[in-house]
Amino acid sequence: MIREQPVIAPVSAEIAEAHRETLGNGAELYTLAADEFGVLRVSFVFRAGSSVQKRFFSASAVANLLAEGTRKMSARELAEELDFYGSWFDVTIDRDYAYISFCMLSKFVPETLAVAEEIILHPTFPKEEIAGYCLKRKQRLKVERQKVDNKARELFSVALFGKDHPYGVVADEEEYDRLTRECLVEFYRTHYTAENCFVVCSGRIGEEELGRVRAIASQLPSGGGKITADLPEPVTTHHLFRRHEGAVQSSIRIGRLLFPRQHPDFTGMQVVATALGGYFGSRLMQNLRAEHGFTYGVMAAMVNFERAGYFAVATQVGSDVTREALAEIDREIDRLRREEMSVEELNLVKNMMIGEMMRILDGPFGVADVTIENILCGTDNGAIARQVAEIRRMTPRDVRLLAEKYLRREDLVTVVAGEEDPFV
């Protein structure tokens, strides 16, 4: 039996509100001062995710090629300059946004921001770098798609949203051959603009440092208007299987479309998901791993996009126990719907959730990440305290009622990638 050690959650979850200013070109600048730390992170968030691209892979290509050459510096010179000052450059892209972050020691802010200015404002997207990038990404994607877990992940997106929905579409790797410098330049020109950007600064930042960041953000071009994604209605398929010859494991995804973070039941469903499979001693871990030995790990979570959200369970099990594992997952979901959990179990779940939130908020960069998420959700940093209070108010009856409402068997999507189809 796997048992969690008791976790005592903190009483308060208050975090500082970011100072906000709107620059003359429309870009928004948020500041989270933390003078006790000798570092600074500057994150540029652009409305430039894959859901707004017109050519497959163009959004990720633009974000990843920003530092592959600028008007003054080559890719090597940019990398060497950042490395010399111990600075860190990171790119993350999801379906809705691109996140371009620079992390630096306070004493090297001017030097690092000079490089940041080149990368953000003056990328040149050299043809030879594009060709090399596309070749590597194409080969990497081919390899990744040989993995049963990747097959299930992509199939689950298709099952939830439909193959033509920007959140569900799975592009052929041959689409990398169709990427041109012209389409990347056009995507950069129309999406990396002031109206589609906000900047979050966190750490030690005085007026001089803030002025340098402001100077970069103020140079972002304006006039194109805010980008919006034209999303069709999702087309959900409840059962999908993809054969993977010779697979010794089946990859399983179970879940359903629900709602984004702004929905009043989102936090409550996070509690439901955590109880089911959100920590090492969760119900699914106890069942699938500890009792039956079907898997090394299983998770359940609520996932948030800008315009949608979903509940998901994910695991990999031996091919010979796929049907049994699906039945046990169904059984645990049904048990949540029919039986109220004990107060002791719910208190453990609450403390685990709140403790994880506090871990994330330990330091200026974690606070910045949460601030970015709150901005994207149209709320402020007071949302954290409100979320903690909502978690604390949850009762065993609340958990059961939410599970009963949202986790009906007929509403759930089940996807399996493996050697044998468990649906026949």
Side-chain angles (χ1 to χ4, degrees):
M1 180 71 71
I2 303 170
R3 295 190 180 278
E4 294 285 340
Q5 294 298 316
V7 177
I8 306 301
V11 176
S12 175
E14 300 289 342
I15 64 173
E17 199 64 55
H19 177 267
R20 171 186 171 184
E21 64 174 301
T22 302
L23 305 180
N25 60 353
E28 294 185 337
L29 178 59
Y30 296 83
T31 308
L32 291 155
D35 293 338
E36 65 272 27
F37 297 91
V39 293
L40 173 66
R41 194 184 81 177
V42 181
S43 297
F44 295 81
V45 182
F46 292 96
R47 183 72 171 83
S50 60
S51 65
V52 295
Q53 66 187 8
K54 296 180 180 178
R55 181 69 61 86
F56 290 127
F57 303 125
S58 57
S60 57
V62 167
N64 287 305
L65 288 166
L66 288 173
E68 294 302 314
T70 70
R71 61 176 184 176
K72 293 181 179 179
M73 306 174 73
S74 67
R76 180 175 180 176
E77 289 170 334
L78 291 167
E80 288 178 347
E81 191 77 358
L82 291 172
D83 185 61
F84 180 80
Y85 293 108
S87 301
W88 174 61
F89 168 61
D90 181 65
V91 172
T92 303
I93 183 168
D94 60 26
R95 287 171 174 81
D96 300 304
Y97 292 91
Y99 310 82
I100 316 298
S101 296
F102 301 86
C103 184
M104 65 213 78
L105 297 172
S106 298
K107 60 183 178 180
F108 295 132
V109 168
E111 294 85 354
T112 304
L113 289 183
V115 178
E117 180 174 350
E118 282 291 305
I119 291 173
I120 294 294
L121 298 176
H122 307 294
T124 56
F125 303 108
K127 286 186 177 180
E128 62 275 14
E129 298 290 351
I130 295 173
Y133 168 86
C134 289
L135 179 60
K136 291 177 182 176
R137 289 292 174 134
K138 179 181 175 180
Q139 294 301 321
R140 182 188 301 178
L141 186 55
K142 283 184 177 180
V143 172
E144 287 297 313
R145 283 180 170 167
Q146 297 305 309
K147 300 176 181 177
V148 66
D149 191 54
N150 193 286
K151 287 184 177 182
R153 179 178 57 80
E154 292 186 340
L155 196 63
F156 189 57
S157 295
V158 173
L160 287 177
F161 295 101
K163 64 182 179 61
D164 297 322
H165 194 287
Y167 287 168
V169 65
V170 177
D172 191 280
E173 56 262 24
E174 300 300 325
E175 290 293 335
Y176 275 113
D177 296 335
R178 301 178 178 90
L179 279 183
T180 65
R181 181 179 184 277
E182 289 71 26
C183 76
L184 300 189
V185 170
E186 176 64 15
F187 187 89
Y188 171 80
R189 184 186 66 80
T190 55
H191 293 77
Y192 284 69
T193 64
E195 296 94 337
N196 295 295
C197 175
F198 65 87
V199 185
V200 176
C201 305
S202 56
R204 182 182 296 174
I205 181 163
E207 279 303 315
E208 181 179 351
E209 293 85 356
L210 186 59
R212 292 179 182 275
V213 176
R214 191 184 289 120
I216 297 173
S218 294
Q219 294 180 65
L220 287 166
S222 60
K226 289 188 175 182
I227 300 293
T228 57
D230 185 17
L231 301 183
E233 285 297 314
V235 178
T236 298
T237 304
H238 287 278
H239 294 87
L240 282 179
F241 169 74
R242 179 166 294 172
R243 189 171 305 282
H244 187 106
E245 294 292 343
V248 297
Q249 287 188 312
S250 295
S251 186
I252 295 171
R253 297 288 189 279
I254 295 176
R256 63 161 299 186
L257 282 179
L258 284 174
F259 29 69
R261 189 174 295 277
Q262 298 91 324
H263 192 279
D265 285 341
F266 189 92
T267 298
M269 281 303 295
Q270 284 185 305
V271 176
V272 173
T274 302
L276 188 64
Y279 65 105
F280 191 67
S282 66
R283 292 188 170 196
L284 286 176
M285 282 290 284
Q286 295 281 357
N287 184 319
L288 297 185
R289 175 173 166 146
E291 294 177 21
H292 290 94
F294 290 160
T295 184
Y296 286 108
V298 57
M299 59 78 64
M302 287 290 292
V303 179
N304 176 59
F305 297 151
E306 183 180 51
R307 305 267 290 276
Y310 62 86
F311 163 84
V313 174
T315 190
Q316 287 185 220
V317 302
S319 296
D320 58 335
V321 295
T322 303
R323 286 182 174 84
E324 292 91 332
L326 289 171
E328 291 302 324
I329 294 171
D330 283 346
R331 188 171 76 84
E332 291 298 343
I333 291 175
D334 188 58
R335 190 158 68 95
L336 268 180
R337 298 183 70 246
R338 291 184 295 101
E339 303 172 6
E340 292 184 5
M341 64 173 54
S342 69
V343 172
E344 292 75 17
E345 181 185 4
L346 181 55
N347 284 339
L348 174 59
V349 170
K350 292 179 181 181
N351 288 342
M352 293 293 296
M353 292 180 68
I354 298 172
E356 177 62 14
M357 292 170 65
M358 295 303 101
R359 185 193 66 79
I360 293 171
L361 293 169
D362 184 20
F365 300 162
V367 173
D369 289 335
V370 171
T371 299
I372 289 171
E373 184 175 5
N374 288 334
I375 293 169
L376 295 178
C377 291
T379 188
D380 55 33
N381 282 352
I384 302 302
R386 295 190 292 272
Q387 185 179 9
V388 168
E390 186 174 352
I391 292 171
R392 290 188 181 280
R393 286 195 298 268
M394 289 286 291
T395 67
R397 183 173 183 271
D398 294 331
V399 173
R400 183 183 64 78
L401 290 176
L402 284 171
E404 184 178 28
K405 181 177 182 180
Y406 292 118
L407 299 184
R408 296 185 303 173
R409 177 66 259 178
E410 59 268 30
D411 294 329
L412 297 179
V413 168
T414 302
V415 163
V416 176
E419 186 171 43
E420 295 186 10
D421 187 347
F423 306 127
V424 296

